[in-house]
């Protein structure tokens, strides 16, 4: 076969260079040079290997053309082709999500978005809606997850031990804080004592307790925007947890907006539990050091 005939046959069979390399045993780099025209006179042995595969009778596996001469090689080639297809589909899906996300974000001005826009956002992207403004949420760090997880675990253990009529929840969980269509937040940890607020898919109204784990990408929003929203909505107690500084600031909005700072070594009382629950983040520091490895 001539090189032009091999190119045509390769296109007919739908082979990628990687799949053809699997079938023939010819290195990918060699094939790329041949089919790009860089190598004009391939070695005779290479031509024979390519001709044997490209001229042999193909059969179809799930609409993919493979050769019967080498079943094991054919299966490997099929797998390579499927992986390539999956990668292409994944890339297309990411592009589709990006385009849909941008379409929604450019459909209105910030401050005009509603829950309809929030729910229209594609799966795979996370936002909070606060007073009509959409805030994109970045993936949490390991320290962030450890701090939120430890707090949730301690709260759940305390609630179960003392049979308290409350339930802790950990992110991701939507909270329709103002009971309107302009705000939907996602606190890191909450405690809800009025289970009528639990609508399965989200919480409607202010939880009794809310906690935010601070990170560089969320610090300003959590301290200056969400903290105020929690106060205005009627959250009784709010914790701001700072893993980097190993500090916790506790705000008691139902007690004259009193606030107090704690370190990770302190045993911090959960005010809404009437002294039944307390949390110490000291043991978390070992895990944080492990994460930094």
């Amino acid at each position: 076969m001539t090189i032009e005939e091999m190119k045509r046959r390769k296109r007919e069979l739908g082979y990628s260079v990687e799949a053809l390399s699997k079938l023939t045993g010819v290195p990918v780099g060699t094939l790329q040079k041949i089919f790009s025209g860089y190598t004009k006179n391939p070695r005779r042995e290479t031509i024979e290997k390519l001709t044997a595969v490209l001229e042999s009778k193909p059969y179809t596996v799930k609409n993919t053309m493979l050769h019967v001469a080498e079943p094991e090689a054919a299966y490997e080639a099929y797998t390579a082709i499927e992986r390539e297809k999956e990668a292409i589909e994944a890339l297309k899906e990411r592009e589709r999500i990006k385009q849909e996300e941008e379409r929604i974000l450019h459909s209105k001005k910030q401050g005009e978005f509603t829950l309809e826009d929030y729910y229209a956002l594609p799966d795979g992207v996370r936002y909070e809606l606060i007073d009509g403004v959409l805030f994109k949420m970045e993936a949490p760090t390991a320290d962030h997850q450890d701090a939120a997880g430890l707090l949730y675990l301690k709260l759940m253990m305390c609630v179960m031990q003392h049979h308290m009529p409350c339930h802790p929840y950990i992110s991701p969980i939507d909270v329709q804080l103002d009971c309107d269509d302009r705000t939907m937040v996602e606190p890191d940890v909450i405690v809800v004592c009025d289970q009528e607020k639990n609508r399965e898919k989200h919480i409607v109204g202010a939880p009794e307790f809310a906690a935010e784990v601070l990170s560089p990408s969320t610090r300003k929003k959590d301290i200056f925007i969400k903290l105020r929203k929690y106060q205005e909505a009627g959250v009784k107690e709010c914790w701001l947890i700072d893993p980097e500084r190993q500090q916790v600031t506790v705000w008691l909005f139902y007690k004259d907006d009193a606030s107090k700072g704690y370190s990770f070594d302190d045993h911090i009382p959960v005010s809404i539990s009437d002294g039944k629950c307390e949390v110490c983040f000291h043991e978390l520091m070992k895990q944080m050091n492990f994460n930094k490895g």
Side-chain angles (χ1 to χ4, degrees):
M1 297 180 73
T2 66
I3 292 179
E4 288 304 318
E5 288 173 336
M6 287 190 288
K7 288 181 179 180
R8 177 180 57 78
R9 186 62 173 157
K10 174 178 173 291
R11 287 195 299 270
E12 290 174 355
L13 296 174
Y15 284 142
S16 66
V17 172
E18 289 77 9
L20 196 55
S21 175
K22 288 281 188 180
L23 287 169
T24 61
V26 178
V28 170
T30 301
L31 293 177
Q32 288 174 335
K33 290 179 181 179
I34 292 172
F35 291 114
S36 68
Y38 182 83
T39 298
K40 300 186 183 301
N41 296 298
R43 294 170 55 190
R44 180 177 177 181
E45 181 184 356
T46 300
I47 292 290
E48 289 176 350
K49 289 180 179 180
L50 286 168
T51 299
V53 169
L54 293 173
E55 285 189 341
S56 63
K57 184 178 179 180
Y59 69 92
T60 302
V61 179
K62 291 185 179 179
N63 299 321
T64 301
M65 303 301 287
L66 301 172
H67 287 267
V68 298
E70 300 287 346
E72 187 173 334
Y75 176 75
E76 291 179 357
Y78 166 69
T79 303
I81 291 170
E82 288 301 299
R83 284 199 300 265
E84 187 176 340
K85 286 182 177 179
E86 289 172 1
I88 292 172
E89 289 302 315
L91 185 62
K92 288 180 178 178
E93 178 63 12
R94 287 197 296 270
E95 185 61 26
R96 184 196 66 80
I97 289 174
K98 182 180 178 181
Q99 290 178 358
E100 181 63 13
E101 179 185 5
E102 291 179 350
R103 183 190 67 78
I104 293 172
L105 291 176
H106 289 90
S107 65
K108 295 179 181 178
K109 296 179 181 178
Q110 286 285 26
E112 298 178 352
F113 292 105
T114 66
L115 288 182
E116 182 179 358
D117 305 304
Y118 176 82
Y119 286 123
L121 288 165
D123 293 337
V125 297
R126 296 174 61 214
Y127 279 83
E128 287 186 304
L129 177 65
I130 303 177
D131 293 331
V133 177
L134 284 169
F135 294 88
K136 189 164 188 175
M137 302 178 69
E138 303 296 335
T141 63
D143 287 348
H144 183 288
Q145 292 295 80
D146 286 340
L150 177 65
L151 176 59
Y152 169 77
L153 177 62
K154 295 289 188 181
L155 291 172
M156 180 60 79
M157 291 173 62
C158 180
V159 164
M160 294 175 65
Q161 178 183 353
H162 296 285
H163 306 288
M164 299 170 62
C166 299
H167 193 94
Y169 299 91
I170 189 169
S171 177
I173 184 166
D174 286 342
V175 178
Q176 194 175 351
L177 198 61
D178 295 332
C179 303
D180 62 10
D181 70 342
R182 301 183 71 246
T183 296
M184 184 74 84
V185 296
E186 193 174 290
D188 290 315
V189 178
I190 60 173
V191 176
V192 177
C193 298
D194 180 2
Q195 287 305 306
E196 289 188 2
K197 295 179 180 179
N198 186 349
R199 305 294 171 82
E200 294 187 2
K201 291 186 178 181
H202 64 281
I203 303 297
V204 177
E208 279 68 21
F209 175 100
E212 296 288 352
V213 181
L214 304 181
S215 63
S217 63
T218 66
R219 178 181 295 274
K220 289 184 179 180
K221 180 183 68 172
D222 291 340
I223 294 176
F224 298 108
I225 299 177
K226 293 182 74 175
L227 185 66
R228 175 183 58 82
K229 289 297 296 183
Y230 290 144
Q231 180 185 22
E232 293 174 350
V235 174
K236 293 181 178 180
E237 182 172 0
C238 183
W239 288 22
L240 297 180
I241 304 166
D242 191 337
E244 182 178 349
R245 300 175 184 175
Q246 298 183 1
Q247 296 175 345
V248 180
T249 303
V250 175
W251 290 83
L252 302 179
F253 295 133
Y254 73 116
K255 290 187 177 181
D256 299 324
D257 297 341
S259 67
K260 185 175 180 180
Y262 297 88
S263 75
F264 273 20
D265 289 318
D266 294 325
H267 290 263
I268 308 171
V270 180
S271 181
I272 64 167
S273 71
D274 295 326
K276 296 183 179 69
C277 307
E278 64 177 22
V279 177
C280 180
F281 289 92
H282 178 77
E283 57 198 271
L284 179 64
M285 288 189 282
K286 293 182 180 178
Q287 184 63 35
M288 289 168 59
N289 291 331
F290 172 79
N291 291 339
K292 292 175 175 62

